[in-house]
Amino acid sequence: DQQQEYDGGLLLDDEQKMEDIEQPHHHDVLCGRGVTTNRHPGNESFRSLVGLNKELYVSSTKRQKMSISRSIVEAVRSLDPPGRFLEKDPDTGLWADIGHKKAVEKTSQALRDGAASLRKQLSADLGDPDFLNAVFEDHEPGQRSKADSAKKSNDDEKDGSAEEAKASSDDRMDTDDA
């Protein structure tokens, strides 16, 4: 019972139209604010896709960032049925696609949201030797790397030496009292 429209010789289903859309489908990304927009399945999928690409985005060049944004828009538009980026006309209550350029801009904005704190976290991680060791060591999680084992062994020896020195010092104190 799909709505259909005659468009320049083509009969289009409502889910393929780009304007005068009465009912967005589950792949559409709705522009605007509010709970209805946020909870729409297409917006949830879009946010998930954006989230998976944020870390890459914040560490990319300007050219790479545009490519990432375009690829997300293309991924949405390549779904079946194709996802559209829709904006509601307040006068008619109908939806229309915002076009490729605005869709890429919306995606870039979504990728930038929270980017400062992500960049700060990445910077902190890169300054943390434990994080860097975890990234660059080639051992199973839960197992000690050779470097960790050597450090642990070295630390144990230092601890042992300190205990022996303290014991020796205590012995001397005992003999001094006699």
Side-chain angles (χ1 to χ4, degrees), residues 100-120:
H100 183 71
K101 185 178 180 197
K102 280 188 176 179
V104 171
E105 288 170 5
K106 176 185 173 61
T107 303
S108 295
Q109 180 59 53
L111 286 160
R112 284 193 301 271
D113 284 347
S117 61
L118 182 58
R119 234 181 262 111
K120 187 176 178 181

Side-chain angles (χ1 to χ4, degrees), residues 4-166:
Q4 294 186 331
E5 178 180 287
Y6 188 72
D7 183 25
L10 295 173
L11 201 57
L12 295 177
D13 287 340
D14 197 38
E15 58 188 30
Q16 295 174 312
K17 289 169 33 179
M18 297 304 267
E19 55 189 25
D20 298 329
I21 300 158
E22 291 180 30
Q23 186 63 46
H25 61 72
H26 61 283
H27 289 157
D28 289 332
V29 177
L30 308 182
C31 300
R33 299 190 172 274
V35 176
T36 308
T37 302
N38 269 340
R39 290 193 181 152
H40 184 72
N43 289 57
E44 289 177 349
S45 299
F46 174 73
R47 280 195 306 276
S48 174
L49 203 50
V50 164
L52 291 170
N53 286 279
K54 267 191 182 187
E55 199 169 311
L56 176 64
Y57 186 85
V58 299
S59 59
S60 295
T61 65
K62 188 173 183 174
R63 177 174 285 179
Q64 291 167 330
K65 287 178 180 180
M66 286 307 296
S67 178
I68 293 165
S69 297
R70 279 193 302 268
S71 70
I72 291 173
V73 170
E74 288 165 13
V76 170
R77 294 199 185 278
S78 68
L79 297 169
D80 185 21
R84 301 165 293 190
F85 290 79
L86 303 178
E87 196 169 56
K88 195 172 196 174
D89 183 324
D91 298 329
T92 65
L94 298 175
W95 297 86
D97 192 280
I98 61 174
H100 183 71
K101 185 178 180 197
K102 280 188 176 179
V104 171
E105 288 170 5
K106 176 185 173 61
T107 303
S108 295
Q109 180 59 53
L111 286 160
R112 284 193 301 271
D113 284 347
S117 61
L118 182 58
R119 234 181 262 111
K120 187 176 178 181
Q121 181 59 51
L122 285 172
S123 177
D125 287 346
L126 291 174
D128 178 355
D130 291 337
F131 175 81
L132 292 175
N133 288 338
V135 170
F136 293 107
E137 292 294 326
D138 57 348
H139 62 279
E140 293 295 315
Q143 286 186 330
R144 289 193 182 279
S145 68
K146 289 175 188 160
D148 289 342
S149 297
K151 183 178 182 301
K152 173 84 173 111
S153 172
N154 200 7
D155 290 346
D156 289 346
E157 287 174 21
K158 286 180 189 169
D159 289 347
S161 302
E163 287 172 19
E164 288 168 20
K166 184 179 181 321

